[in-house]
Amino acid sequence: MTLHLLALLAEPQLPKLAPSDSFWLPVDASVTSRNIDWVWDFMIWVSLLVTIGVFVAIFHFITKYKAKSRAANEIAEKSAEHNTALEITWSVLPLFVCIALFVWGFKGFVDLRTPPKEAMELHANAQKWKWTFDYKCATGGMTDDTLHVPIDRPVRMLISSVDVLHALYIPSFRTKMDAVPGRYTDLWFQATKAGDYPIFCAEYCGTSHSDMLSHVVVHPAGQYETWLKGACEKADSMVGPERGKKLYSQQGCETCHTIDGTPKIGPSWKGLFGKMEMMADGTPYKVDENYLRESMMDPTAKVVQGFAPSMPTYKGKLSDKDIDGLIEFIKTLK
Amino acid sequence: MSEPSTETQAAKTASAPPPAAHEGHGHEDHGHEAHDPIHAANPHLAHHFDTPQQQFDAGKLGIWLFLLTEVLFFAGLFCAYTVYRSMNPEVFVYAHYFLDTKLGALNTCVLLISSLTAAWAVRNAQLREQKMLMINIVVTIACACTFMCVKYVEYSHKYHDGLLPGHNFQPKEQIWELKSFRDKHPEAAEYAEKLAKLDEKKAEAPAGGAAKPSEGKAEEKAEKIERPTEEELEPLLNAGLVGPRSLDPSAHISRPRMAHVFFGIYFFMTGLHGFHVLIGIGIWIWMLVKAAKGQFGPTYFGPIDFTALYWHLVDLIWIYLFPLLYLIH
Amino acid sequence: MASPTTTADAAIPEKKGADDNYLTHDKGFASWAFTLDHKRIGVMYLASVLSAFALGGVFALLVRTELWSPGRTIMEHDTYNQMFTLHGAIMVFLVIIPGIPAALGNIILPLHLGAKDVAFPKLNLASYYLWIIGCLCMLGSLVTNAVDTGWTFYAPYSTTTQTNVIPAAMGAFILGFSSIFTGLNFIVTIHKLRPPGMTFFRMPLFVWALYSTALIQVLATPVIGITLLMMIVERVFGLGIFDPSLGGDPVLFQHFFWFYSHPAVYIMIVPAFGVVSEIIPVFSRKRLFGYQFIAISSLAIAFLGFLVWGHHMFTSGQSVLAGTIFSAITFLIAIPTAIKIFNWVSTMYKGRIHLDTPMLYALAFLWVFTIGGLTGVFLAVMGVDIHLHDTYFVVAHFHYVMMGGAITAFLGGLHYWFPKAFGKMYDEKTGRIGALIVFVGLNLTFFPQFILGSRGMPRRYYNYLPEFQGLHQLSTIGAFTLGIGFLLTAISLGRALKNGKPAPKNPWGGVTLEWTTTSPPPYYNFHTPPPVTAGPYDGYENLVYDEKIGGYVAKT
Ligand code: HEA
Ligand code: HEA
Ligand code: CUA
Ligand SMILES: [Cu+2]
């Protein structure tokens, strides 16, 4: 477990798929996935049966009844041209299968959609192209770009988006939900295996849709609280450029801003402070603390020339301490 | 499927391919291209049809199907309308005071008259009443043009008042200056004035906020207005100044914020309808030309009939639009 | 129905002599550009649709090449997003929706009905030009700043992205009208231009299929039209219907979109069912099994298809109740489809099967479509779809049904009617090899995608976890195999056009009306009106193969 914690402190990295003992499905790590996995297995067997059946029938017929040549002018043997009993049989059998599948699928779905009342609540924020997760600390809160959850406890995720549609997808929990701007959606799960599982963004959201990854860390019994306490303290104690640096990756600034001078979706932060920036309307503006603050709180107020006004506002998401930290961090990028 | 066994059918087909009309539906013989008297007698009969009746039936079915697609086309908009109205009923009530019911009613009459003359024109064509046919078409066109002129007047008012959809929604006129609103809801008007002052104050405060009527921040300031009492609230609800879901005074914030959706829908629906009227005018002019050439008569009146059907649909859509947009309660 | 009469030859020759046909009737560019002849319009559609297919295919190959390795292989993020969007939009709106109805249907439908033309020839030509205009709009987006929204145009991404969404949406809007006009024309043609004696239950199943398709085209397409229009207006004026930052509801867009686009998948597949229903009995030399069941099931599919759109939105936040209803009805569609599959297979029982190219495609269709359809059933199971939604499993599902189903049947139909439409025989051997390569390539490309998807690989991903690489590479190899198959087929058909053997009237021994006229048909289709006295699949035993002319003639 300590390994996971260490991994967290390091630079963000690609999540890894844990090896699974199923050929088809990823490792299952939640209570709801069982319901789904056996329906899946059932479907696989039905499909195998039907496709092999169809294949065998076709193959049998084309070998047995293959015509010799056109010139031979063979005439098909007489046989029935329709058979109501047969038609009914092969309509009703699949119908039964379908009814069963519908009922099981419905059950699985209702399970997935109804979180237990005692579920602990976490908030997931989607924005282009970063997931962030809010945690409650003893005082105030803390935000992280990794999802941490305790084992064997139901967790309800409240999902929101600030820009376009995204979808929170955790394959190992067999669950997925769209993040819809302007409203909250939710999903729930209860992890059954400690470990580290990937999270994907499954709804197309533009340029870096495929890099909008994260991971969920399932802490073994009792360790979640320890982690949360530590993380809260750390988040709280961090000030100045260090805090800014952390926020830079946690809040997703890095998806649009580099610190090495190359422009991305937004201007690079390298050498930003003190520079004269040209605005879209042609007026130059000197970058100072107030300008930086405004850029984060009301990004469309002044738009830098050559860039689209695509930055979301961070009002309400960054505390004053956070903003100070970011400004300090930007100042260090000479 | 015909049920005799395969052998008998085979025998039938193999023995003697019958010339035509074997099953004899009482139809004429099928397609004798060369010198066939029916085509010779009917210059407007296309080569691939056998009889004028068949051609007319095909056209009729075609136009009905087309009208069906038109209905579905507008149905999408009506759906959007329904969704937004049920989600924000107060916005719709509020915004409709900006529409001029009198002009709308005038247009309704104009279109009804034109529908009448259109139907009459069909009769004229069937009976070869050349002169009445021309007159009726001209009247129809005149009505359609009147409709468009009135729409133009309405649109230009909206334009001047800044009542445009989406980003361009910047109303100049305040609602309490609208007579129609004051007449109906004197009690609400007073309260509305208070809200207006509040709005003005807010407009001064933030600098960058003008581009987007964006969220929040008004809440703190809204406290300056006292919460209306139960009795006070009722007329406000009726007037669409507050929504049923949010009964606190700051709720009026959502009113202008969402009103642009109403005007979006208004312009979209009436604009699309107007476009159909324009197309209709074009077709009627074409029909007028054809009529002037004396082409129509008892065996060939399809085009007039189909145009009239189209016209009735355009009329019908307006009959729905008018109450839905102008007469909201 | 048809007695494939030879007596037709004896009838009065047309003014230009006996070998006059619609291809030689008039000459010059204008005679094609302004033609009202359904066959020529069909041929123009065919050429256009195949070109669009090649273009869409090239985009597919670029997509697959990029996915050879995680991260950058040959292009940037944004380019990749534009590539798959264009690939999807071209394949759906320009290729597969007009593919069978407007290209093959236009050539064959009036022939099947023994009619001289469709009911509204001018509307037919208008529909073709709308296709061209729609295509130009799409290309306009392509060459400027290509659209990157995915073919689904989901709001609010589509209303806010910087790329040129409007021309593409405008293109889809115009193509919608093209499709409506084709559908409307076919409905009226089928109702009003059937020859005496051809009752509804004597129509060939291809006609039934086109009829069901046309109903969907007419009833569903207007909705996508108005939706795209609203999206465009939203983009330009900020209407506020779909974009939540303006007070709109993005889920509403999805409802509107799928209300059309689910029925649209049946616009793609039902004509394919029709083609397969024509091919299988002819090449089995046997009456189709369960004709009426197949005919009615097309209508059933068309009808049910309108009630299931929400199965694309199980994770969108729609209510549980809505999801439940949509899921339940989705399962019902499996039943009429099952009926068709089983009837086709049964038709071969005790037949005398000839494995020519069209039949090979039809058989490939049967098997591949079964897989595609069954995986659709996986997706209809709500609980399972939550896991599979927007993964490569869905991508594999719809390629199995669209590429493996509709395109395969399209190619089958193309080979089947090629001699009739162009009066030339293609090289049978190359044809078969082509079919085989396509079949292998198809499975190699798309089967690994099922595994990718079920293991959690999301779709529309430019970059992916290294664990997925092996399967992606298999898929890419498959795509190039497919490319080779199509190239071979294209070359084979192209060569046949130039110097193929002249085709006889009835090379396959079909008994529907089109085989009673010459290949290619005369300008007015039939020298004498064909009599209709029996069902569409009766009387194979009345035909004998004549080796001298390489085709079938009536038994004497
Ligand atoms: C030609 C096009 C075509 C066809 C015919 C189908 C056919 C079907 N489709 Fe598919 N589908 C698409 C094209 C098509 N689909 C596309 C393009 C998408 C994705 C769009 C996007 O998001 O970009 C999609 C997505 C899609 C989804 C949404 C997935 C998601 O995004 O999460 C679902 C869910 O229910 C679904 C279901 C089905 C079903 C149940 C059928 C049924 O009609 C299949 C019926 C056939 C059979 C079942 C096989 C034959 C039957 C038997 C041999 C009998 C035995 C059967 C049983 C025992 C059950 N499809
Ligand atoms: C009719 C529909 C259709 C067809 C036929 C295809 C065909 C193919 N598709 Fe496509 N595809 C879609 C419809 C279709 N697709 C849609 C709707 C999407 C979703 C888009 C979105 O997400 O928005 C999609 C997405 C999609 C993706 C997913 C992208 C992503 O999510 O990131 C991939 C990836 O492998 C892919 C691959 C392929 C391949 C390899 C083929 C191959 O089968 C192509 C083979 C064809 C060729 C190689 C052309 C060769 C032709 C010639 C040489 C000339 C031929 C001429 C004659 C025969 C006369 N497609
Ligand atoms: Cu976020 Cu895709
Ligand atoms: Cu669907």
Side-chain angles (χ1 to χ4, degrees):
Chain A
M1 211 34 244
T2 39
L3 255 176
H4 286 302
L5 290 178
L6 280 178
L8 264 174
L9 297 175
E11 284 293 292
Q13 56 176 51
L14 282 183
K16 262 191 105 59
L17 282 179
S20 166
D21 38 281
S22 155
F23 173 74
W24 293 98
L25 297 165
V27 62
D28 80 291
S30 85
V31 287
T32 44
S33 41
R34 279 166 215 162
N35 274 334
I36 287 155
D37 290 8
W38 76 261
V39 182
W40 167 277
D41 288 339
F42 176 81
M43 260 318 285
I44 289 280
W45 288 113
V46 170
S47 305
L48 221 59
L49 205 75
V50 175
T51 35
I52 290 179
V54 170
F55 186 77
V56 167
I58 294 177
F59 199 74
H60 177 69
F61 291 162
I62 60 175
T63 44
K64 180 143 184 226
Y65 303 117
K66 187 167 184 323
K68 290 193 196 69
S69 71
R70 293 211 176 260
N73 270 315
E74 295 160 89
I75 292 170
E77 297 161 49
K78 285 263 128 36
S79 63
E81 47 194 59
H82 69 99
N83 181 331
T84 312
L86 201 58
E87 299 277 356
I88 290 177
T89 318
W90 66 42
S91 314
V92 170
L93 279 184
L95 186 64
F96 283 141
V97 176
C98 283
I99 292 175
L101 283 172
F102 167 71
V103 172
W104 296 328
F106 172 72
K107 279 204 183 122
F109 184 69
V110 171
D111 273 358
L112 280 168
R113 296 258 99 266
T114 18
K117 276 204 200 62
E118 72 279 12
M120 130 188 179
E121 226 167 69
L122 285 177
H123 195 126
N125 290 297
Q127 74 182 56
K128 285 175 180 169
W129 293 280
K130 181 93 183 169
W131 291 104
T132 52
F133 304 94
D134 296 341
Y135 301 87
K136 280 195 199 71
C137 296
T139 56
M142 188 264 303
T143 302
D144 199 285
D145 53 7
T146 308
L147 178 58
H148 291 264
V149 295
I151 196 169
D152 290 334
R153 251 177 74 190
V155 177
R156 172 166 178 253
M157 307 288 312
L158 260 181
I159 308 166
S160 64
S161 162
V162 295
D163 37 42
V164 297
L165 296 171
H166 303 268
L168 186 72
Y169 176 30
I170 314 175
S172 292
F173 296 167
R174 310 281 187 275
T175 187
K176 174 185 294 137
M177 192 67 201
D178 283 8
V180 185
R183 67 164 74 159
Y184 287 105
T185 53
D186 69 339
L187 61 75
W188 80 279
F189 52 81
Q190 179 173 338
T192 53
K193 288 197 188 107
D196 189 336
Y197 312 100
I199 294 179
F200 297 113
C201 173
E203 187 64 74
Y204 176 67
C205 52
T207 310
S208 297
H209 164 58
S210 63
D211 297 326
M212 192 164 160
L213 309 182
S214 179
H215 45 142
V216 48
V217 178
V218 178
H219 292 267
Q223 293 192 13
Y224 175 74
E225 286 71 18
T226 333
W227 167 82
L228 185 64
K229 198 152 163 275
C232 284
E233 274 165 14
K234 190 148 193 327
D236 210 41
S237 63
M238 231 192 263
V239 284
E242 207 189 339
R243 190 183 186 93
K245 181 161 195 236
K246 181 147 180 281
L247 289 168
Y248 169 66
S249 68
Q250 258 175 19
Q251 289 289 348
C253 317
E254 69 182 345
T255 52
C256 301
H257 299 282
T258 66
I259 50 177
D260 61 6
T262 42
K264 227 167 149 188
I265 316 280
S268 175
W269 285 355
K270 186 170 181 178
L272 178 61
F273 191 81
K275 165 170 151 199
M276 285 301 264
E277 273 288 29
M278 190 61 94
M279 296 301 132
D281 57 11
T283 52
Y285 204 95
K286 183 150 192 288
V287 177
D288 57 10
E289 283 90 347
N290 278 327
Y291 169 79
L292 288 178
R293 190 183 184 86
E294 191 193 51
S295 294
M296 298 172 211
M297 296 298 99
D298 193 0
T300 46
K302 299 193 181 63
V303 177
V304 183
Q305 202 165 50
F307 294 92
S310 55
M311 177 166 158
T313 170
Y314 281 85
K315 193 165 59 188
K317 293 175 75 184
L318 297 176
S319 66
D320 281 347
K321 210 163 161 187
D322 293 340
I323 297 170
D324 293 343
L326 278 164
I327 293 176
E328 291 307 313
F329 174 57
I330 292 175
K331 281 185 186 165
T332 64
L333 304 168
K334 291 282 154 38
Chain B
M1 199 185 311
S2 60
E3 273 316 316
S5 78
T6 329
E7 299 100 291
T8 57
Q9 280 187 334
K12 235 202 276 177
T13 43
S15 57
H22 185 80
E23 296 281 305
H25 277 259
H27 261 275
E28 284 81 350
D29 281 4
H30 189 72
H32 286 182
E33 293 98 31
H35 17 266
D36 103 61
I38 303 180
H39 276 89
N42 292 285
H44 299 294
L45 183 58
H47 78 89
H48 58 292
F49 290 114
D50 295 335
T51 60
Q53 185 62 36
Q54 190 190 26
Q55 178 168 9
F56 178 78
D57 287 348
K60 193 92 167 185
L61 182 59
I63 190 79
W64 275 111
L65 285 170
F66 177 71
L67 295 187
L68 189 62
T69 66
E70 287 280 8
V71 167
L72 287 160
F73 197 64
F74 276 95
L77 279 175
F78 281 112
C79 270
Y81 172 95
T82 313
V83 169
Y84 282 89
R85 182 153 173 199
S86 61
M87 272 168 29
N88 315 297
E90 77 283 2
V91 173
F92 275 63
V93 175
Y94 157 80
H96 99 279
Y97 290 113
F98 291 94
L99 301 186
D100 193 328
T101 315
K102 291 212 189 69
L103 289 182
L106 173 66
N107 259 349
T108 311
C109 292
V110 168
L111 272 194
L112 280 174
I113 294 171
S114 74
S115 236
L116 192 75
T117 52
W120 197 351
V122 178
R123 192 88 198 111
N124 298 144
Q126 283 169 336
L127 300 177
R128 212 188 275 288
E129 295 167 349
Q130 190 63 20
K131 198 161 154 223
M132 274 316 285
L133 174 61
M134 303 281 287
I135 293 176
N136 273 322
I137 295 181
V138 170
V139 173
T140 310
I141 294 174
C143 284
C145 291
T146 316
F147 179 90
M148 288 316 290
C149 291
V150 173
K151 269 267 69 84
Y152 172 77
V153 171
E154 282 191 82
Y155 278 6
S156 53
H157 276 173
K158 301 276 165 319
Y159 182 79
H160 284 302
D161 295 346
L163 297 168
L164 294 174
H167 309 308
N168 306 317
F169 181 74
Q170 269 141 20
K172 290 209 188 87
E173 201 175 357
Q174 300 286 14
I175 182 152
W176 30 93
E177 291 164 9
L178 273 183
K179 211 170 152 305
S180 59
F181 181 78
R182 251 192 200 292
D183 289 351
K184 261 196 215 130
H185 303 288
E187 341 72 86
E190 191 183 321
Y191 189 80
E193 258 161 62
K194 273 198 225 163
L195 292 180
K197 295 215 183 79
L198 192 75
D199 269 346
E200 268 157 37
K201 251 189 234 137
K202 239 182 301 129
E204 287 156 22
K212 263 201 234 152
S214 60
E215 51 281 308
K217 100 174 96 165
E219 267 106 295
E220 314 108 48
K221 288 177 188 154
E223 282 157 16
K224 282 179 203 150
I225 283 199
E226 316 88 60
R227 224 189 132 70
T229 63
E230 290 280 313
E231 308 90 77
E232 263 179 320
L233 207 55
E234 170 114 23
L236 294 180
L237 267 170
N238 290 341
L241 285 174
V242 294
R245 273 172 296 134
S246 46
L247 292 182
D248 70 299
S250 63
H252 77 284
I253 305 294
S254 79
R255 166 174 51 83
R257 199 162 80 90
M258 295 293 291
H260 74 273
V261 178
F262 176 87
F263 285 98
I265 291 177
Y266 165 80
F267 274 102
F268 201 156
M269 289 180 117
T270 56
L272 199 64
H273 177 262
F275 180 70
H276 279 81
V277 174
L278 281 180
I279 300 243
I281 294 177
I283 303 178
W284 276 122
I285 292 178
W286 179 29
M287 288 302 121
L288 191 64
V289 173
K290 277 172 90 88
K293 289 188 192 152
Q295 290 185 349
F296 298 115
T299 56
Y300 182 64
F301 57 90
I304 293 273
D305 194 14
F306 308 151
T307 314
L309 274 176
Y310 168 80
W311 195 248
H312 294 324
L313 181 85
V314 172
D315 189 16
L316 190 74
I317 289 171
W318 179 257
I319 300 286
Y320 278 98
L321 285 183
F322 177 59
L324 285 180
L325 292 171
Y326 290 75
L327 306 178
I328 292 175
H329 183 72
Chain C
M1 100 187 39
S3 53
T5 40
T6 35
T7 42
D9 298 34
I12 346 113
E14 288 252 72
K15 51 182 174 190
K16 295 204 177 176
D19 58 345
D20 174 50
N21 65 52
Y22 80 98
L23 293 170
T24 56
H25 191 76
D26 291 306
K27 292 225 155 49
F29 177 76
S31 79
W32 281 87
F34 302 109
T35 183
L36 295 180
D37 178 31
H38 67 97
K39 301 180 285 310
R40 284 193 166 193
I41 295 175
V43 169
M44 294 196 294
Y45 253 123
L46 190 63
S48 313
V49 164
L50 286 178
S51 318
F53 178 64
L55 183 64
V58 169
F59 284 128
L61 293 182
L62 287 171
V63 164
R64 285 301 344 157
T65 310
E66 171 53 45
L67 292 175
W68 180 259
S69 62
R72 187 192 156 98
T73 310
I74 52 167
M75 59 178 91
E76 279 306 315
H77 286 89
D78 287 322
T79 323
Y80 177 80
N81 294 344
Q82 294 168 325
M83 289 297 132
F84 75 69
T85 303
L86 288 167
H87 162 66
I90 289 176
M91 285 297 195
V92 168
F93 295 115
L94 286 171
V95 177
I96 194 170
I97 289 179
I100 297 179
L104 296 180
N106 246 325
I107 302 177
I108 298 304
L109 174 72
L111 292 174
H112 259 165
L113 293 177
K116 286 191 213 114
D117 209 322
V118 291
F120 308 116
K122 285 183 199 137
L123 193 66
N124 204 11
L125 186 66
S127 149
Y128 175 70
Y129 280 110
L130 283 176
W131 188 94
I132 293 285
I133 296 171
C135 178
L136 290 178
C137 287
M138 289 255 173
L139 294 182
S141 170
L142 164 64
V143 295
T144 51
N145 184 2
V147 55
D148 73 336
T149 59
W151 81 283
T152 47
F153 294 112
Y154 271 16
Y157 189 76
S158 58
T159 58
T160 51
T161 172
Q162 303 295 319
T163 55
N164 265 339
V165 178
I166 293 178
M170 212 53 217
F173 176 77
I174 293 169
L175 289 165
F177 277 91
S178 161
S179 172
I180 290 176
F181 289 159
T182 304
L184 192 155
N185 221 333
F186 283 5
I187 293 181
V188 177
T189 308
I190 292 168
H191 269 287
K192 299 294 173 195
L193 293 182
R194 273 173 296 129
M198 188 185 280
T199 56
F200 256 77
F201 282 112
R202 278 187 185 169
M203 297 192 313
L205 284 169
F206 186 55
V207 177
W208 268 99
L210 288 178
Y211 186 72
S212 311
T213 310
L215 285 177
I216 314 177
Q217 285 176 304
V218 166
L219 294 177
T221 318
V223 177
I224 192 75
I226 196 71
T227 309
L228 292 173
L229 208 59
M230 281 195 255
M231 198 262 284
I232 292 170
V233 174
E234 178 113 10
R235 239 184 113 78
V236 179
F237 296 110
L239 188 61
I241 289 190
F242 300 134
D243 186 347
S245 71
L246 300 167
D249 180 359
V251 179
L252 186 68
F253 178 87
Q254 299 176 25
H255 279 292
F256 276 144
F257 182 84
W258 292 114
F259 180 84
Y260 164 75
S261 291
H262 183 81
V265 310
Y266 296 111
I267 298 180
M268 307 168 192
I269 202 68
V270 172
F273 292 161
V275 171
V276 171
S277 309
E278 292 304 310
I279 293 175
I280 288 183
V282 171
F283 288 83
S284 306
R285 314 301 309 141
K286 189 167 160 280
R287 208 161 190 270
L288 191 72
F289 191 80
Y291 168 91
Q292 259 159 324
F293 288 91
I294 298 187
I296 299 290
S297 61
S298 288
L299 280 181
I301 291 173
F303 172 73
L304 290 172
F306 276 98
L307 306 174
V308 303
W309 75 87
H311 68 208
H312 296 270
M313 299 168 58
F314 288 143
T315 69
S316 70
Q318 77 181 353
S319 74
V320 173
L321 177 68
T324 308
I325 296 170
F326 286 129
S327 165
I329 304 175
T330 304
F331 283 109
L332 289 185
I333 297 187
I335 308 304
T337 321
I339 292 177
K340 283 175 188 286
I341 301 264
F342 295 140
N343 276 307
W344 288 322
V345 174
S346 312
T347 300
M348 294 192 290
Y349 173 66
K350 290 197 177 170
R352 281 294 172 267
I353 299 166
H354 295 274
L355 292 177
D356 296 299
T357 313
M359 186 63 169
L360 289 184
Y361 278 113
L363 294 177
F365 171 93
L366 279 188
W367 197 58
V368 171
F369 179 75
T370 302
I371 298 179
L374 282 166
T375 51
V377 174
F378 279 72
L379 296 170
V381 182
M382 286 188 280
V384 176
D385 182 66
I386 298 291
H387 175 57
L388 296 176
H389 173 70
D390 269 347
T391 64
Y392 262 79
F393 192 90
V394 177
V395 175
H397 156 65
F398 67 69
H399 282 96
Y400 258 84
V401 282
M402 298 208 286
M403 173 62 224
I407 298 283
T408 305
F410 182 41
L411 284 174
L414 184 61
H415 283 87
Y416 178 56
W417 282 304
F418 188 87
K420 180 54 62 187
F422 300 106
K424 297 282 174 62
M425 293 303 289
Y426 57 84
D427 180 44
E428 190 52 51
K429 200 152 161 218
T430 341
R432 288 185 202 181
I433 295 173
L436 215 67
I437 299 179
V438 168
F439 177 75
V440 170
L442 176 70
N443 287 293
L444 190 56
T445 314
F446 299 115
F447 200 81
Q449 297 186 356
F450 282 126
I451 309 171
L452 279 172
S454 71
R455 289 185 183 174
M457 164 85 202
R459 65 191 280 205
R460 296 170 173 173
Y461 261 32
Y462 162 82
N463 196 357
Y464 53 83
L465 301 188
E467 289 90 331
F468 293 127
Q469 190 171 10
L471 290 166
H472 267 305
Q473 292 186 338
L474 267 186
S475 178
T476 305
I477 294 171
F480 280 94
T481 314
L482 259 178
I484 293 171
F486 284 128
L487 203 63
L488 187 70
T489 309
I491 293 171
S492 144
L493 291 183
R495 287 202 8 212
L497 264 190
K498 259 187 91 185
N499 37 26
K501 275 195 314 221
K505 243 179 174 184
N506 191 355
W508 316 120
V511 291
T512 39
L513 290 181
E514 78 271 29
W515 303 111
T516 64
T517 188
T518 51
S519 305
Y523 190 69
Y524 284 126
N525 293 350
F526 297 95
H527 289 290
T528 36
V532 176
T533 54
Y537 305 105
D538 294 338
Y540 293 109
E541 58 279 20
N542 299 326
L543 297 172
V544 285
Y545 188 74
D546 182 337
E547 259 176 301
K548 270 200 289 315
I549 57 170
Y552 284 76
V553 291
K555 209 185 238 169
T556 40

